Amino acid sequence: MSIPTVNTRYLFFTGKGGVGKTSLSCATGIALADSGKKVLIVSTDPASNLDEVLGANLSSIPTPIPEVPGLFALNIDPEASAHAYRERMVSPYRGILPPAAIASMEEQFSGACTVEIAAFDEFSALLGDPEKTKEFDHVIFDTAPTGHTLRLLSLPSAWNGFIESSTGGASCLGPLAGLEKQRSLYAATVAQLAEAQKTTVVLVSRPETSALREAERTRGELADLGIANQVLAINGLFQAKPGNDAIADAMTRRANEALESMPKRLAALPRHVTPFVALGMVGIAALRSLIEPNTHAVPAAPSVANSLELPTFNSLVNDLEQGGYGVIMTMGKGGVGKTTVAAAIAVALAQRGHPVLLSTTDPAAHVAVTIENPVPNLSVSRIDPEVEVERYRQEILEKTGKNLDANALAMLEEDLRSPCTEEIAVFRAFAQTVDAGKTGFVVLDTAPTGHTILLLDAAEAYHREVMRVQGDMPESVRQLLPRLRDPAFTRVIITTLAEATPVHEAERLQQDLARAGIKPYAWVINQSLLASGTHDPLLSERGRYEIPFIRKVAEELSPRCALIPWLAEPPIGAKGLAGVV
């Protein structure tokens, strides 16, 4: 069996988007049910495709899976829960505070942190209260809480109404202020997670450097909180016989290099490896192929020619060049290649004679465009998130923290560790580089989300209306917001992969931007095996699997898109990046 073996009642599968958490959690649930256990699978992921994977119409109550006796599943909608919390917090002030202040409060509770805490509230009822799931032998959670959420819930100050004096710009605390009655349940849930005899956390990763780096970060965060019963699941390991195919050889080599160089503490965890499969893990038959690869046949995909007509990345760069100047922002979830896309655009424009400034928060991208020979016309600035967050943190602590007691200060410090805080701190640094877009091209990697843009905008209104204590908003940020909404000045490139989860997450990102009044300029589908030219049978079959996702992007989500093939030569350095175009 290539899926994780289970010795505890509770399992949490965690990892960055697209690594296969849902597939492995479902396959594990099927294996347990087949062994005679009664199993419940729970998803709290806003982009969940649990219904599709299991082939069942799920709701918020346990639903039996007909093809697997003993297996049940339910889908929690954290977005709906977050909306309920938002209304609970905001509704008492409607008709009392000005509309701008209400809009600010609503946006305050619209971020990823709020959604995550809302999700925690939902599954805490299942984990913290054993009576809720007493009929099941095992409960499997697809998507676990982050270390940040668990630290937040462990702080006593989270329950004392500290939201009213918080720094505001990126607070995660909104839901907690209305959940005092849940305090004991949350404490039981956090304690349950740390009890190794009852709970196992499965860190899911692809055999890729970026995914393994994220798994190591999660491992360390959870270990610091006393959650030490962890295992590592490597999903999608491709191993080809050498010499058969350039793409297959390169994929094998990169996977082996990533595994050999993984952090030592991560490598020391118990490990389970699942091989690469050509088809998506949709349906019970496909999931059973993960449990017993040589026993259960997966239906073959229909024969489809590898000739889906889509614009090339070079044609997209031609379109971008016509503007002559302005800001180009690449956006997307981690691991889809937005840094590569940003660097490739910057190098291509510079090689065509345009002055280009590439600004990135990714150290690898900074190195990639500067190693060996510098590119004429290209300047690179690296924004260090740690430096920017610390600068922002010190500013807030000096203005707000000096009059707080120890508990309130601890709460403020945890608030300033939130992902939203990092995004705002980095965004402030981005604002300082954008002015160069008036006379040349500025390419920004890891751009702010629509939520951050709205949060900064709403926070400014909140300043004017209720004088809420916050960090100052620099003038550069005030000037930047209208520019980001100006399609003649700023062009947003959404980057994704031709797979279910990355496309679903990118679609949500596009909706997030729409709330902020921003319409993406184009989508880029990266690392396509369909377009790679591979002749390896397994990889070719995987390429055909990409077709419906490529069509969804091209026909439903974006009138302008481009396809980048999976490249045998890594897109590193000026030469490698030029190969993307």
Side-chain angles (χ1 to χ4, degrees):
M1 182 181 295
S2 57
I3 60 172
T5 53
V6 183
N7 297 314
T8 58
R9 182 167 190 257
Y10 300 106
L11 269 88
F12 280 86
F13 285 76
T14 186
K16 63 193 298 184
V19 295
K21 297 186 296 292
T22 300
S23 300
L24 290 185
S25 60
C26 288
T28 301
I30 291 171
L32 288 169
D34 286 349
S35 70
K37 304 293 185 181
K38 192 172 183 180
V39 183
L40 175 64
I41 302 175
V42 181
S43 176
T44 59
D45 189 344
S48 173
N49 61 336
L50 189 62
D51 302 63
E52 180 183 10
V53 170
L54 290 175
N57 293 321
L58 304 180
S59 66
S60 58
I61 61 174
T63 301
I65 307 303
E67 296 179 58
V68 188
L71 182 64
F72 294 73
L74 66 84
N75 238 343
I76 291 172
D77 185 353
E79 295 280 8
S81 301
H83 176 75
Y85 291 152
R86 187 159 56 245
E87 280 303 300
R88 189 181 311 166
M89 293 298 298
V90 174
S91 59
Y93 300 98
R94 297 190 191 278
I96 299 174
L97 293 180
I102 295 297
S104 178
M105 292 179 70
E106 288 178 333
E107 189 56 41
Q108 196 81 16
F109 306 141
S110 296
C113 298
T114 300
V115 172
E116 185 172 357
I117 291 176
F120 190 89
D121 179 59
E122 295 285 356
F123 70 67
S124 64
L126 300 172
L127 181 66
D129 183 0
E131 285 296 308
K132 295 283 188 180
T133 59
K134 63 181 180 180
E135 64 180 291
F136 297 101
D137 299 304
H138 295 280
V139 183
I140 299 174
F141 293 92
D142 171 23
T143 303
T146 66
H148 166 64
T149 295
L150 295 174
R151 286 196 309 271
L152 181 62
L153 292 167
S154 300
L155 287 169
S157 298
W159 309 97
N160 66 6
F162 181 67
I163 181 67
E164 295 177 3
S165 61
S166 169
T167 58
S171 178
C172 298
L173 308 181
L176 297 184
L179 293 174
E180 174 65 30
K181 65 180 182 180
Q182 301 288 79
R183 184 173 183 175
S184 60
L185 178 61
Y186 282 10
T189 301
V190 175
Q192 194 84 273
L193 280 166
E195 192 169 345
Q197 291 74 28
K198 293 184 178 180
T199 302
T200 302
V201 175
V202 182
L203 306 175
V204 184
S205 177
R206 298 282 189 185
E208 300 166 0
T209 300
S210 62
L212 289 166
R213 188 186 303 127
E214 175 71 10
E216 165 61 16
R217 184 191 65 77
T218 302
R219 182 210 61 77
E221 279 195 342
L222 296 178
D224 289 344
L225 288 162
I227 302 172
N229 190 13
Q230 304 179 35
V231 300
L232 176 63
I234 302 295
N235 187 33
L237 180 62
F238 180 80
Q239 298 286 280
K241 295 180 180 178
N244 290 341
D245 182 271
I247 300 296
D249 290 347
M251 188 175 290
T252 301
R253 182 178 65 254
R254 286 191 215 172
N256 291 339
E257 290 173 352
L259 293 175
E260 289 170 3
S261 62
M262 85 165 74
K264 291 183 179 179
R265 291 183 179 179
L266 187 67
L269 293 178
R271 187 185 311 179
H272 302 267
V273 178
T274 303
F276 180 92
V277 293
L279 304 182
M281 288 292 100
V282 176
I284 302 302
L287 292 167
R288 289 191 187 280
S289 72
L290 291 181
I291 303 169
E292 300 290 347
N294 300 320
T295 304
H296 300 277
V298 179
S303 179
V304 181
N306 294 7
S307 60
L308 198 65
E309 293 295 331
L310 273 185
T312 63
F313 188 65
N314 185 64
S315 66
L316 174 60
V317 174
N318 291 340
D319 291 342
L320 292 170
E321 184 184 15
Q322 298 307 310
Y325 68 95
V327 176
I328 299 167
M329 303 197 306
T330 60
M331 302 184 70
K333 297 296 183 181
V336 298
K338 59 182 179 293
T339 299
T340 297
V341 171
I345 290 172
V347 167
L349 291 172
Q351 290 177 336
R352 298 181 187 194
H354 299 281
V356 180
L357 171 63
L358 172 63
S359 183
T360 179
T361 60
D362 189 329
H366 177 70
V367 171
V369 296
T370 54
I371 55 173
E372 298 178 358
N373 300 312
V375 178
N377 303 313
L378 178 64
S379 301
V380 179
S381 66
R382 174 165 126 65
I383 297 171
D384 188 330
E386 292 187 5
V387 171
E388 298 303 331
V389 167
E390 183 59 25
R391 182 181 293 129
Y392 182 69
R393 178 178 172 274
Q394 290 301 325
E395 176 185 324
I396 298 300
L397 289 174
E398 287 173 9
K399 292 185 177 182
T400 307
K402 58 186 178 183
N403 297 320
L404 300 178
D405 61 27
N407 274 343
L409 183 61
M411 190 70 259
L412 174 59
E413 289 178 339
E414 181 54 42
D415 191 21
L416 291 172
R417 292 191 188 103
S418 79
C420 295
T421 295
E422 177 175 323
E423 194 169 29
I424 287 178
V426 170
F427 187 40
R428 284 156 46 110
F430 272 145
Q432 300 170 10
T433 69
V434 167
D435 194 57
K438 294 185 298 186
T439 57
F441 287 104
V442 175
V443 181
L444 298 178
D445 169 37
T446 314
T449 66
H451 166 65
T452 299
I453 294 167
L454 279 173
L455 191 59
L456 288 166
D457 203 15
E460 187 176 8
Y462 213 150
H463 265 304
R464 295 193 302 267
E465 300 291 347
V466 296
M467 300 299 293
R468 189 166 184 260
V469 179
Q470 297 191 23
D472 292 336
M473 181 176 290
E475 185 63 25
S476 59
V477 173
R478 286 190 173 91
Q479 294 175 351
L480 182 58
L481 294 175
R483 284 179 172 172
L484 294 180
R485 294 175 172 132
D486 180 1
F489 188 86
T490 299
R491 281 151 291 182
V492 172
I493 312 295
I494 290 184
T495 307
T496 188
L497 304 176
E499 300 174 15
T501 299
V503 169
H504 292 161
E505 291 185 344
E507 186 175 9
R508 291 181 65 241
L509 174 60
Q510 181 159 269
Q511 295 167 354
D512 187 28
L513 289 171
R515 290 193 303 120
I518 296 175
K519 183 177 181 180
Y521 179 80
W523 281 47
V524 170
I525 304 167
N526 194 29
Q527 298 179 6
S528 170
L529 285 168
L530 182 72
S532 69
T534 182
H535 299 293
D536 181 88
L538 194 60
L539 298 185
S540 295
E541 192 73 8
R542 180 68 176 191
R544 286 190 285 272
Y545 166 77
E546 297 176 352
I547 290 176
F549 302 107
I550 295 173
R551 283 186 171 145
K552 180 177 178 64
V553 172
E555 297 172 5
E556 300 178 26
L557 299 176
S558 179
R560 182 187 283 110
C561 61
L563 195 64
I564 298 177
W566 203 100
L567 300 169
E569 181 178 347
I572 298 175
K575 180 180 178 182
L577 290 168
V580 175
V581 181

